[in-house]
Amino acid sequence: MVAMLTVLIHRPFLTGSVCLRTVIKTATTAVQGRYRSTGFGSDRSDIEIKQLQKDYEREVVMMLRDTFKEHEPMISHLRPPLHQIECLCEFLTKRACQDGISMVAIDTKLNKVIGAMASFLLSGDYTVGDYDVVKMKDLEPLFSILERLNERLDEVEEVKRVKENGNLMMKLSLGGIIDGYHGQGVIKRLVHECLELGKRQGAKLAWVALTSPVSQHVILNFPGFYQVGDIIPYRSYTMNGVKPFATMLPQNKGLMLCLKKL
């Protein structure tokens, strides 16, 4: 499996902008049909790329939950109860359905979700919303290090300009595919379609926090993405005087911020 996670949900998400509400309401569904070649990955005729809709919500939550349990570095290291991982995936998948710029990959022969990419349109303070700290208390170190990355994001000149101009920004968030679909370009196809939807709806900049070597490799080899600043190391990261990731496997070096202009 491939897992990509970026979560930024500490502060309330603001939807006061009429522009944002209008954009979400008029979200395009043009990509719901059979996937058309865009030059990304293979063109397997049995895999469809569709817009994430409520009908797929539960299946996506369970697929992402199982993917992150085993393959997302921080979650697999922290080993929170399964229901907390599910709570996180459910929170973000529901929000992704509302924004209308997220995608799923369907194996049409099996009629099964085999991959997903949850993305968000952001304005105001550019965060996704409030999380339930009680329901996800064992994930607090994950939220803490991602909040550190948020502080770095606020200092990026491109982000400052987007905010100053009152423009939308989009965030690639939860992404994963199941076993048996590696190396077939599924994640790249999902990322591409999410970016196209976000761009058509007015987003000027896309960003993603990459937590694993695999996701970092995929995004850094995707046209237009570039790394901002140094990786935030896991093993030396300190929260309340404690290093929650001190024994992280050495191949998982840290959290990486990447941007792409749209």
Side-chain angles (χ1 to χ4, degrees):
M1 295 186 184
V2 174
M4 183 171 77
L5 170 66
T6 166
V7 188
L8 192 57
I9 54 180
H10 275 257
R11 294 176 296 190
F13 177 76
L14 304 179
T15 56
S17 168
V18 174
C19 175
L20 180 58
R21 289 200 298 269
T22 304
V23 162
I24 293 174
K25 183 177 180 181
T26 58
T28 178
T29 58
V31 293
Q32 288 187 18
R34 184 167 299 278
Y35 176 79
R36 294 186 293 276
S37 175
T38 56
F40 289 90
S42 65
D43 287 321
R44 279 184 52 174
S45 61
D46 58 336
I47 296 179
E48 275 188 273
I49 304 297
K50 293 185 174 183
Q51 192 173 13
L52 174 60
Q53 301 285 351
K54 193 170 181 62
D55 291 347
Y56 297 112
E57 187 177 294
R58 189 60 187 165
E59 192 175 354
V60 168
V61 168
M62 302 308 286
M63 184 273 293
L64 291 173
R65 181 200 69 178
D66 294 341
T67 301
F68 294 137
K69 176 188 174 185
E70 300 296 332
H71 299 284
E72 199 291 311
M74 289 186 284
I75 289 177
S76 60
H77 175 78
L78 294 170
R79 296 186 179 278
L82 193 60
H83 70 86
Q84 293 191 29
I85 307 172
E86 184 175 335
C87 184
L88 173 63
C89 294
E90 183 175 32
F91 174 88
L92 292 169
T93 302
K94 284 181 179 295
R95 168 61 202 278
C97 282
Q98 296 173 10
D99 278 18
I101 62 168
S102 298
M103 309 302 296
V104 294
I106 309 293
D107 185 320
T108 57
K109 291 182 178 178
L110 301 176
N111 192 28
K112 177 181 179 181
V113 172
I114 58 91
M117 178 63 63
S119 304
F120 309 102
L121 283 171
L122 304 177
S123 69
D125 63 0
Y126 290 87
T127 56
V128 174
D130 289 322
Y131 71 96
D132 191 325
V133 67
V134 175
K135 289 184 179 180
M136 294 183 275
K137 62 181 180 179
D138 294 305
L139 291 171
E140 188 60 25
L142 178 149
F143 296 136
S144 175
I145 194 171
L146 286 165
E147 184 67 12
R148 175 73 61 83
L149 183 133
N150 179 34
E151 296 169 0
R152 174 177 294 179
L153 183 72
D154 289 339
E155 297 303 316
V156 176
E157 289 301 319
E158 293 93 327
V159 174
K160 288 180 179 179
R161 284 195 293 270
V162 169
K163 290 185 176 183
E164 289 169 358
N165 294 329
N167 292 321
L168 295 175
M169 187 161 65
M170 68 175 291
K171 177 167 73 71
L172 298 175
S173 186
L174 302 180
I177 60 172
I178 67 174
D179 288 326
Y181 296 87
H182 304 284
Q184 298 176 41
V186 176
I187 284 290
K188 284 189 175 182
R189 288 164 61 176
L190 291 166
V191 169
H192 173 77
E193 294 296 349
C194 287
L195 292 172
E196 286 298 302
L197 279 177
K199 185 177 180 179
R200 287 201 292 270
Q201 295 182 43
K204 300 300 183 183
L205 191 69
W207 73 275
V208 57
L210 303 168
T211 65
S212 73
V214 173
S215 62
Q216 291 163 3
H217 174 79
V218 169
I219 293 298
L220 286 176
N221 284 278
F222 194 98
F225 273 104
Y226 56 95
Q227 181 179 345
V228 178
D230 296 328
I231 284 177
I232 300 176
Y234 288 133
R235 301 178 83 175
S236 61
Y237 180 74
T238 302
M239 183 186 79
N240 299 327
V242 176
K243 295 180 179 179
F245 305 113
T247 59
M248 178 81 80
L249 294 174
Q251 62 263 34
N252 299 314
K253 298 187 182 302
L255 190 62
M256 178 186 293
L257 173 63
C258 288
L259 299 181
K260 175 180 170 64
K261 296 177 183 178
L262 300 176

